[in-house]
Amino acid sequence: MFMAYVPPPAYSLPPFRGSQGKVAELRLELNSGGRKDKNFTTKKIALKKIVANMTMSNNDMVALFPDIISCMAIQSLEIKKMCFLFLVNYARMKSDIAVKAIPVLEHDMEDPNPLVRALALRTMSYIHVREFVEATVPVVKHLLRDSDPYVRKTAAFCVAKLYDHDRHMVEASDLIDRLNGLLRDDNPTVVASALASLMDIWERSDAIKLTIDYANASKMVAILPDCSEWGQTYILEALMSYVPQESGEALLLAERIAPRLSHSNSAVVLTCIRVILYLMNYIADQKQISALCRKLSPPLVTLLAKGPEVQYLALRNALLILQRRPEVLRNDIRVFFCKYNDPIYVKVTKLELIFMLATENNIDEVLTELREYATEIDVHFVRKAVRAIGKLAIKIEPAAKRCINLLLELVATKITYIVQEATVVIRNIFRKYPNQYESIIGTLCEHLDSLDEPEAKAAMIWVIGQYASRIENSDALLDDFLYSFAEEPIEVQLALLTATVKLFIQRPTKGQELVPRVLKWATEETDNPDLRDRAYMYWRLLSTDMEAAKRIVMGEKPAITAESERLDPVTLEEMCLNVGTLATVYLKPVQTVFRNARPRRLQESPALQRQEVPGPTSVLSDANKSLSMFGMGGQASDFDIRAGSGAAAAGGGGTAAAGNNGNLAQAVSEADEYFANQMGGMRIQEQGDSFGGSGGEDNGYVVNQYGRQNVYNTAGGGNNGNENGDLLM
């Protein structure tokens, strides 16, 4: 039996439907159904298609505006929701057609169903069209007194929305007074919504002052248990505007809101922590403050059991709280140890907290943990762990030897990125402890071939230059680095320039060939002004007075500290008033993150306790400066202007430089000529281990290994507005 071959039918594309065809089809579906479609099923399907197209930014749907308005009168909540969504989306585009929907919305506000009334009011208040805004004012006044609490709650939020549309119109009306009247409502949700609306208006206004007395604050705290989680957040936010006049008031209020710390919602917990931290500034009894601090620790630890995003928020706020109230988490260092499945951003933040909580008592436990971190697979995290070990050596002096031994143990692994990070932190350890741990220099020199990153190279070059008299072949090591001088980044070139000058000062016979070469490169063959200016400075200094050059280049430098994560007191005070907000994630003032946000300050009161913010044990005049303010990786100056001036008589050759009263231009010219002609004959009596202190290429006054974002100070003083519109009197 044979089967005849039948060719397949030719494939034909469906007929093309343009956008106009789609709109026509949807209009037909929207108007079909008639009396047979009692549940409006066809219309609902058509509206869902329209909403889907609208969501995909298909602006052709705006042509259906008249048909949508005709559907608004249908008594179906589902249909009304979709029609109102269409209206909000396209009203500003077709305002002349949209105004035809106002009578329908006003009619719906008289509907017996409170959901329909609230939906119509919310829709009308969302539309930023003049006719809608003006029509909303009288209906909001009416619905603020509605019998249903859900409608009153919606009306309260609509007042804030109207204020966003036209603040002058709202201020000229009595809407804010009516909103104040809702604070005496019997329903806690309505009260919380009115507070949220008033707080939003206060944030935007310069003419309104938010004032809460103790009686109002007590009423607000009393209704906390009856509110939803977001209602509790609104009320706690509003309590930040209460200024205690007596220490007892602040303590009682803090005790009454403390049960909210055990709430399951992280927003409630963090807002409650913020309010308690705020009230602590008005409590005089230190024992009571310590008791409150002990209550803040468990909720922060509990948040670490939630998802990684909430963990990260809790950890960033913990970094802030630790600076203001160190006793909050003093004994909880183990809960911040990293888990294998933590995201990298959580691990790095935990590492910062471990460093902040490390003390002489728990340093062994911390170093054991950091040793494990330094063998992780994540390179970024390993680098952070190695730097943390070096910072602990600077922070905790009795543990410095143990930290250095651990660093040498890690260097012995010969893993490139570990060796490079260890080199950087050991340079800082030498700055902190001069003439104590030079025995490890030989170990570092064995791994020179592993250094290929600019910061690590600059650190190693600094070590070679600073200890040139202790390193037998220091000139050969620097000569190796100089082969690629022109290709190196600027920080390495600066480090090489300074290290070569140090070599010449300490061992002139070894450095006399390198110095002229490097100075010539730096002054004639570079385009970088920093490098060129520093080279000219060294050139003139060496040609003028070698003793002055030695005092300046090898002079004692300010001590360094590992406490760079601390914010300045003004910023820290403001940040503690914004715990739980996005500003605390960046650890920056709130106006840096939110341009129009109102800055917060502690308000003056008889109960206000001005306390010194905990800081590092040794505070310098520039202690608030961070590494990023001084440059990175060896770019900081090796000069110390306190060591003396280099303007003195030049020795040899009968050429004299000008003193303080001489001709400066002639002195500079003669010094340049002398140095150019007599460089080969420059000699000073080589002395043994000549060190002028712990000076050298450094990272500024503060070692900041974690590279935190810069912190910018905002203008001082809060803006409380005028006195002509007090709320919550």
Side-chain angles (χ1 to χ4, degrees), residues 92-200:
R92 297 184 68 178
M93 190 180 299
K94 291 286 186 179
S95 58
D96 54 332
I97 301 177
V99 294
K100 297 178 181 179
I102 293 178
V104 180
L105 291 171
E106 290 176 338
H107 180 268
D108 283 342
M109 290 180 202
E110 303 294 335
D111 196 278
N113 187 344
L115 294 178
V116 175
R117 297 201 300 273
L119 179 62
L121 178 60
R122 186 187 303 117
T123 302
M124 182 177 280
S125 66
Y126 278 6
I127 298 173
H128 191 61
V129 174
R130 170 57 53 186
E131 290 82 2
F132 280 86
V133 174
E134 292 176 351
T136 306
V137 174
V139 294
V140 166
K141 292 181 180 179
H142 173 67
L143 293 181
L144 281 171
R145 301 190 303 269
D146 195 272
S147 59
D148 191 274
Y150 180 73
V151 179
R152 297 199 300 274
K153 182 198 80 167
T154 305
F157 283 120
C158 286
V159 175
K161 197 67 182 177
L162 285 174
Y163 192 85
D164 186 37
H165 294 324
D166 189 344
R167 63 178 61 192
H168 300 294
M169 181 184 68
V170 174
E171 290 174 359
S173 68
D174 61 344
L175 282 174
I176 293 179
D177 293 333
R178 291 172 182 266
L179 203 55
N180 271 314
L182 281 187
L183 297 176
R184 295 184 290 272
D185 198 277
D186 297 333
N187 190 287
T189 303
V190 175
V191 175
S193 302
L195 273 173
S197 185
L198 287 167
M199 289 291 293
D200 186 76

Side-chain angles (χ1 to χ4, degrees), residues 67-332:
D67 305 277
I68 296 294
I69 292 178
S70 64
C71 291
M72 287 183 184
I74 298 175
Q75 294 302 312
S76 169
L77 187 60
E78 187 177 359
I79 289 178
K80 284 184 180 295
K81 285 181 179 179
M82 290 187 283
C83 290
F84 290 167
L85 183 61
F86 184 96
L87 178 63
V88 171
N89 198 63
Y90 289 128
R92 297 184 68 178
M93 190 180 299
K94 291 286 186 179
S95 58
D96 54 332
I97 301 177
V99 294
K100 297 178 181 179
I102 293 178
V104 180
L105 291 171
E106 290 176 338
H107 180 268
D108 283 342
M109 290 180 202
E110 303 294 335
D111 196 278
N113 187 344
L115 294 178
V116 175
R117 297 201 300 273
L119 179 62
L121 178 60
R122 186 187 303 117
T123 302
M124 182 177 280
S125 66
Y126 278 6
I127 298 173
H128 191 61
V129 174
R130 170 57 53 186
E131 290 82 2
F132 280 86
V133 174
E134 292 176 351
T136 306
V137 174
V139 294
V140 166
K141 292 181 180 179
H142 173 67
L143 293 181
L144 281 171
R145 301 190 303 269
D146 195 272
S147 59
D148 191 274
Y150 180 73
V151 179
R152 297 199 300 274
K153 182 198 80 167
T154 305
F157 283 120
C158 286
V159 175
K161 197 67 182 177
L162 285 174
Y163 192 85
D164 186 37
H165 294 324
D166 189 344
R167 63 178 61 192
H168 300 294
M169 181 184 68
V170 174
E171 290 174 359
S173 68
D174 61 344
L175 282 174
I176 293 179
D177 293 333
R178 291 172 182 266
L179 203 55
N180 271 314
L182 281 187
L183 297 176
R184 295 184 290 272
D185 198 277
D186 297 333
N187 190 287
T189 303
V190 175
V191 175
S193 302
L195 273 173
S197 185
L198 287 167
M199 289 291 293
D200 186 76
I201 292 173
W202 171 71
E203 283 281 348
R204 300 168 185 269
S205 173
D206 295 327
I208 296 176
K209 181 178 180 181
L210 187 63
T211 305
I212 301 178
D213 58 17
Y214 182 68
N216 277 318
S218 297
K219 293 176 183 177
M220 290 157 56
V221 173
I223 65 173
L224 269 175
D226 301 323
C227 293
S228 65
E229 52 193 19
W230 299 116
Q232 294 182 37
T233 305
Y234 298 147
I235 291 176
L236 291 171
E237 283 274 0
L239 285 174
M240 294 292 293
S241 298
Y242 162 65
V243 182
Q245 299 301 310
E246 297 179 7
S247 178
E249 292 180 359
L251 177 60
L252 182 58
L253 210 59
E255 292 288 352
R256 291 177 64 186
I257 67 172
R260 300 300 102 199
L261 292 170
S262 58
H263 201 280
S264 59
N265 186 289
S266 56
V268 176
V269 174
L270 286 172
T271 310
C272 186
I273 290 174
R274 185 203 311 172
V275 177
I276 292 177
L277 287 172
Y278 164 70
L279 293 174
M280 282 183 187
N281 295 289
Y282 298 91
I283 299 176
D285 191 345
Q286 292 300 318
K287 292 182 179 179
Q288 298 293 343
I289 291 178
S290 299
L292 287 172
C293 287
R294 287 193 294 271
K295 291 182 179 180
L296 296 184
S297 180
L300 280 172
V301 173
T302 302
L303 290 177
L304 299 181
K306 295 182 178 291
E309 293 81 9
V310 177
Q311 281 188 55
Y312 182 66
L313 180 62
L315 291 169
R316 298 300 290 180
N317 282 278
L319 282 173
L320 185 66
I321 294 169
L322 267 178
Q323 297 182 50
R324 187 73 177 100
R325 304 287 178 183
E327 61 270 29
V328 171
L329 296 163
R330 192 186 301 276
N331 301 316
D332 292 321

Side-chain angles (χ1 to χ4, degrees), residues 391-464:
K391 288 184 63 181
L392 287 174
I394 297 172
K395 177 184 177 182
I396 307 173
E397 186 170 350
K401 186 65 177 176
R402 280 171 283 178
C403 295
I404 291 173
N405 290 336
L406 178 54
L407 287 172
L408 293 178
E409 180 183 329
L410 295 172
V411 168
T413 62
K414 298 184 179 180
I415 300 174
T416 304
Y417 52 86
I418 292 180
V419 173
Q420 298 194 119
E421 293 299 323
T423 303
V424 174
V425 296
I426 288 174
R427 184 268 307 271
N428 295 324
I429 292 173
F430 284 156
R431 274 289 316 272
K432 177 70 174 178
Y433 308 109
N435 306 325
Q436 290 189 32
Y437 299 107
E438 288 83 353
S439 58
I440 67 176
I441 294 177
T443 305
L444 291 180
C445 292
E446 293 174 3
H447 299 85
L448 287 178
D449 295 337
S450 302
L451 306 179
D452 55 11
E453 294 181 357
E455 190 176 5
K457 276 188 178 182
M460 191 65 221
I461 292 167
W462 180 89
V463 172
I464 295 172

Side-chain angles (χ1 to χ4, degrees), residues 665-694:
Q666 181 182 356
V668 171
S669 177
E670 291 177 353
D672 289 346
E673 181 182 358
Y674 164 78
F675 189 78
N677 296 330
Q678 304 294 332
M679 189 63 195
M682 287 178 61
R683 298 287 188 273
I684 63 171
Q685 182 179 359
E686 186 172 2
Q687 302 178 7
D689 300 337
S690 56
F691 293 89
S694 61

Side-chain angles (χ1 to χ4, degrees), residues 524-727:
E524 298 180 6
E525 301 179 14
T526 182
D527 295 328
N528 187 278
D530 294 333
L531 180 63
R532 188 169 57 246
D533 290 347
R534 185 182 293 193
Y536 278 129
M537 190 182 301
Y538 280 138
W539 191 313
R540 292 165 184 168
L541 191 59
L542 291 174
S543 64
T544 304
D545 189 342
M546 291 299 299
E547 287 302 321
K550 180 179 178 181
R551 290 196 306 271
I552 293 173
V553 177
M554 302 301 297
E556 184 177 356
K557 302 298 185 295
I560 61 174
T561 176
E563 301 291 345
S564 63
E565 281 76 12
R566 294 192 179 278
L567 302 174
D568 65 273
V570 176
T571 304
L572 182 59
E573 177 183 293
E574 181 186 355
M575 296 299 295
C576 286
L577 300 179
N578 290 279
V579 167
T581 66
L582 190 60
T584 57
V585 175
Y586 294 103
L587 289 184
K588 289 186 176 183
V590 65
Q591 282 191 308
T592 307
V593 182
F594 305 106
R595 185 183 305 169
N596 298 323
R598 182 189 292 269
R600 292 188 174 180
R601 296 285 185 272
L602 290 176
Q603 301 299 314
E604 291 298 329
S605 163
L608 181 60
Q609 308 294 315
R610 287 290 181 187
Q611 298 177 350
E612 292 295 329
V613 179
T617 54
S618 177
V619 181
L620 303 168
S621 60
D622 290 327
N624 291 330
K625 296 181 180 179
S626 64
L627 175 66
S628 56
M629 298 179 186
F630 289 90
M632 292 291 291
Q635 292 187 40
S637 174
D638 260 300
F639 299 116
D640 188 354
I641 59 175
R642 300 171 302 176
S645 172
T655 305
N660 292 334
N661 299 320
N663 188 319
L664 181 59
Q666 181 182 356
V668 171
S669 177
E670 291 177 353
D672 289 346
E673 181 182 358
Y674 164 78
F675 189 78
N677 296 330
Q678 304 294 332
M679 189 63 195
M682 287 178 61
R683 298 287 188 273
I684 63 171
Q685 182 179 359
E686 186 172 2
Q687 302 178 7
D689 300 337
S690 56
F691 293 89
S694 61
E697 198 86 5
D698 58 70
N699 280 338
Y701 294 92
V702 183
V703 183
N704 182 359
Q705 305 295 7
Y706 290 115
R708 184 183 302 281
Q709 300 98 328
N710 290 341
V711 177
Y712 302 96
N713 294 331
T714 57
N719 182 12
N720 292 325
N722 300 322
E723 301 287 340
N724 61 343
D726 291 350
L727 306 184

